[in-house]
Amino acid sequence: MTLVSHSLRRWRGLFGATALVLVAFQFFMVLAARRLELSGQFQLLEAMLPAFMTQASNMMAASFTGFVLFGYSHPLVQLFLVATAIGLGSEPAAEIDTKFVDLLMSRPLPRATPINRTLLLLILTTIGAMVFMLAATWSSLRLLAPASARQPQPVVVVSLASNLACLVLAWGGITVALAAVSRRRATVAGACGLLAFSMFVLDYVGRFWDAVTPIARLSPFHYFDPFEIMGGQALSTTNVVTLLGIFVAGAVIANIAYARRDL
Amino acid sequence: MTLPADGPAIAIRDLAKSYGQVHAVRGVTFDVQRGEIFGFLGLNGAGKTTTIRILLDLLRPSRGQAQLFGFDCQRQSRLARATVGYMPGELGFYSDTTGLEVLDLMARLSGGVDDSARRLQLADRLELARADLRRPLRAYSTGMKRKLGLIQALQADPPLLILDEPTEGLDPLVQRALHELLFELRARGRTVFMSSHVLSDVERLCDRIGVIRDGEIVLLSTVEEAKRRSGRTVRVQFTRPVDAMPLPAGMSLVGQTPDRWSVRVEHDIGELLPLLGSLPVRDLDILEPALEDVLRSFYRTDRP
């Protein structure tokens, strides 16, 4: 825990900025939804959009609820959180890069400490980010939601946040696994960033192009399905297990690789 | 922690580390006794830091074994590392942390040993101002970082200190303070294993030295023995020109002018005196060998 609190102190600026951005984004989404609701534009949109589009998006664009929930599925939010996880997850490589590991591991610590510290940090910060987002959504709805608007069900919001948290953890696990065998943070962050973006695009294409759909199953983003949840379906156990499975696999690989390597 | 009652502080047997075809350390074997200051010398890339990093289980050896106070550096790594205070050659401190935060962290990671009084005493002796300890490390000079590195290694008062180039970047006054600190530690039975390029430090501080070249130990002796290996030089000034003549075994003429000789004496100087007694000697000067002269021959690729 000494190392966890040390890292939390070192990263407090990033954590603060991340929390601020996420909170501001949720407030912005609710504020924008309020304006559209009060000006009657949701009804206008619903009338203008073809039926298949409103069904495909589960009324995302055409309702106050859908617009608010978009705050949990927006590509910017996904990529921002994944980028934060990549930054955090690459810390073991950064410690080798900066030679801090020589000081750290000259102390009587188990070899697994830097890896498990990073995994714990990923879990704590992901949970923290979701708590901030949920709190921001709840308080902004309390403050800004028009009386006429139908508010999202708490279970839907929590399910979305949980699926998003699993996605972030999965990318954290992938990053830690790569960081455990690398000597440079830039290599890890660059490779994981590129991979994440490629997988995001693959999943996006796979959702609209049947030929790509089987390959898109390789993308962790495939297992984050906000539209299903927004449409009222329960959080998919398969999605949760797959994403958490990636995280656990990354954690196991990282621990084995780090224990065997030269630092 | 309780240390085993006897045995050397460091025992290295047939230690080797290879990276593919590159052999960083080749079959190194030596001991460092408890309570001694041991200088580990060699040129850059000779294998000093690799050996040190194997002792701390940062690197895994390709062959051989290393022990600290009887604890195997790989199989009982945590026990072995619990006996060590370490100052690396390159200090990987994060620049956004303060000196005090670094010292607190290292103390807690060492098992909760947090002797603030000792820490401040060390800071005073190494002339690192207390106000500086509260500043972020980005404001530190190289010398200040080295001092902080020394304090973090010394603060838990470990039985073994492993110091990689401890005096590098320190001004002469602080170097002297460090020397005194190390002598005090030795007097209290602590062991110091240090690598250094500053041979005057080694000569002054170390009881024994080991020289590593291309991954192999090429010299293992006390400082005095090492110096004796190179022999002494006797400079003789005559009152008038003297012809060269045969010298006793173990002596050789390394410089000569009509009225001056420089004689290299490998063993006792006594056999030279009868010869000089028969010559018109005006003055005699006996030069002790510098450790640098001795080590230069061991550092070279062609073996002495």
Side-chain angles (χ1 to χ4, degrees):
Chain A
M1 285 311 288
T2 300
L3 213 48
V4 172
S5 60
H6 171 73
S7 293
L8 280 171
R9 258 202 314 279
R10 282 203 58 238
W11 287 80
R12 61 184 180 267
L14 177 74
F15 293 147
T18 303
L20 198 65
V21 168
L22 292 171
V23 166
F25 194 80
Q26 299 311 310
F27 264 92
F28 171 77
M29 293 304 283
V30 174
L31 191 63
R34 172 194 164 89
R35 292 187 68 176
L36 289 169
E37 174 75 16
L38 291 178
S39 60
Q41 290 188 53
F42 281 127
Q43 290 86 336
L44 196 64
L45 271 170
E46 196 177 351
M48 285 172 65
L49 285 172
F52 79 91
M53 276 192 73
T54 49
Q55 278 166 12
S57 65
N58 283 321
M59 304 293 286
M60 181 195 70
S63 73
F64 180 85
T65 303
F67 206 89
V68 170
L69 293 177
F70 193 40
Y72 289 81
S73 63
H74 196 288
L76 278 179
V77 173
Q78 290 182 52
L79 293 176
F80 180 72
L81 285 169
V82 167
T84 306
I86 289 172
L88 271 178
S90 58
E91 194 164 15
E95 285 167 346
I96 294 173
D97 205 355
T98 58
K99 310 262 186 212
F100 181 66
V101 77
D102 279 38
L103 282 169
L104 187 63
M105 294 312 293
S106 71
R107 303 299 81 229
L109 302 171
R111 246 309 167 97
T113 301
I115 295 295
N116 291 336
R117 174 277 325 266
T118 303
L119 293 169
L120 192 56
L121 268 181
L122 279 166
I123 293 169
L124 289 176
T125 52
T126 305
I127 291 172
M130 292 310 127
V131 167
F132 271 109
M133 286 173 73
L134 290 169
T137 302
W138 181 80
S139 50
S140 56
L141 283 173
R142 287 258 163 181
L143 291 170
L144 302 170
S148 59
R150 195 165 67 90
Q151 296 193 11
Q153 294 287 316
V155 68
V156 173
V157 185
V158 172
S159 296
L160 268 176
S162 303
N163 203 170
L164 182 60
C166 293
L167 176 74
V168 174
L169 284 176
W171 280 105
I174 292 168
T175 308
V176 176
L178 191 60
V181 296
S182 180
R183 302 194 73 80
R184 305 224 174 277
R185 164 171 267 168
T187 308
V188 178
C192 287
L194 199 62
L195 184 68
F197 186 71
S198 310
M199 291 292 113
F200 183 81
V201 172
L202 179 68
D203 172 59
Y204 189 79
V205 174
R207 285 177 194 261
F208 296 101
W209 188 9
D210 289 346
V212 180
T213 306
I215 312 168
R217 289 179 195 282
L218 294 172
S219 168
F221 290 100
H222 180 77
Y223 303 94
F224 175 56
D225 203 342
F227 298 136
E228 272 188 5
I229 298 169
M230 286 155 72
Q233 289 188 36
L235 176 61
S236 161
T237 313
T238 309
N239 288 351
V240 170
V241 169
T242 306
L243 291 172
L244 290 183
I246 294 171
F247 175 70
V248 172
V252 171
I253 291 168
N255 267 295
I256 293 170
Y258 202 79
R260 297 163 72 99
R261 72 172 296 180
D262 286 337
L263 298 177
Chain B
M1 71 178 297
T2 312
L3 295 176
D6 51 11
I10 301 175
I12 296 176
R13 298 284 175 275
D14 193 28
L15 198 68
K17 178 67 183 174
S18 303
Y19 301 94
Q21 296 300 309
V22 179
H23 304 290
V25 175
R26 313 162 184 243
V28 165
T29 296
F30 67 90
D31 287 346
V32 176
Q33 301 305 324
R34 296 181 193 214
E36 74 174 339
I37 302 181
F38 187 94
F40 196 41
L41 315 174
L43 297 177
N44 293 334
K48 300 187 299 291
T49 303
T50 301
T51 306
I52 288 173
R53 297 185 88 237
I54 290 173
L55 291 176
L56 295 164
D57 196 29
L58 297 166
L59 299 178
R60 301 281 159 75
S62 310
R63 190 183 75 226
Q65 194 186 30
Q67 292 183 339
L68 303 181
F69 296 100
F71 299 120
D72 188 279
C73 293
Q74 272 69 53
R75 286 195 297 275
Q76 297 169 289
S77 167
R78 290 178 68 189
L79 286 170
R81 281 180 282 143
T83 66
V84 178
Y86 173 51
M87 188 181 84
E90 283 183 66
L91 290 159
F93 295 136
Y94 287 116
S95 59
D96 53 351
T97 51
T98 67
L100 269 180
E101 283 171 347
V102 169
L103 296 178
D104 282 341
L105 175 70
M106 298 313 288
R108 283 199 299 272
L109 294 178
S110 299
V113 184
D114 189 2
D115 187 344
S116 302
R118 177 171 167 76
R119 176 191 295 175
L120 292 176
Q121 187 193 38
L122 286 167
D124 289 345
R125 292 190 64 175
L126 294 173
E127 298 180 18
L128 184 59
R130 294 179 185 194
D132 288 333
L133 286 173
R134 288 186 285 275
R135 293 166 66 195
L137 299 188
R138 74 175 75 89
Y140 276 38
S141 67
T142 307
M144 288 161 77
K145 285 182 186 165
R146 302 297 296 173
K147 291 175 192 176
L148 189 69
L150 284 165
I151 295 168
Q152 66 79 28
L154 290 160
Q155 66 177 346
D157 196 17
L160 171 63
L161 274 169
I162 297 181
L163 309 174
D164 201 351
E165 300 289 349
T167 55
E168 197 174 86
L170 300 180
D171 64 54
L173 290 178
V174 178
Q175 283 183 26
R176 177 180 281 269
L178 176 63
H179 291 182
E180 285 165 9
L181 260 172
L182 296 182
F183 285 137
E184 285 171 23
L185 288 170
R186 181 177 61 183
R188 290 198 291 116
R190 303 293 188 257
T191 309
V192 180
F193 181 78
M194 56 179 272
S195 79
S196 181
H197 284 115
V198 186
L199 296 178
S200 56
D201 283 348
V202 173
E203 196 165 357
R204 176 145 188 247
L205 283 171
C206 296
D207 303 303
R208 288 199 308 138
I209 55 169
V211 177
I212 188 167
R213 186 181 65 205
D214 294 336
E216 292 178 284
I217 294 288
V218 291
L219 175 69
L220 204 57
S221 75
T222 63
V223 172
E224 290 309 313
E225 277 170 13
K227 284 160 67 173
R228 271 204 297 274
R229 278 169 183 258
S230 125
R232 285 167 290 179
T233 302
V234 178
R235 281 205 305 230
V236 190
Q237 175 80 49
F238 300 108
T239 52
R240 56 184 165 75
V242 171
D243 292 332
M245 59 183 68
L247 295 172
M251 298 182 193
S252 56
L253 212 51
V254 291
Q256 186 189 17
T257 59
D259 61 349
R260 183 180 295 201
W261 288 359
S262 284
V263 182
R264 186 175 171 191
V265 181
E266 287 176 16
H267 303 295
D268 292 339
I269 219 160
E271 289 183 52
L272 183 65
L273 297 179
L275 175 71
L276 293 179
S278 64
L279 297 172
V281 175
R282 174 187 287 164
D283 198 8
L284 195 69
D285 207 2
I286 301 173
L287 305 176
E288 288 296 325
L291 187 61
E292 189 178 346
D293 299 331
V294 182
L295 295 183
R296 198 177 296 134
S297 63
F298 284 97
Y299 281 173
R300 283 200 300 259
T301 339
D302 51 322
R303 290 197 177 200

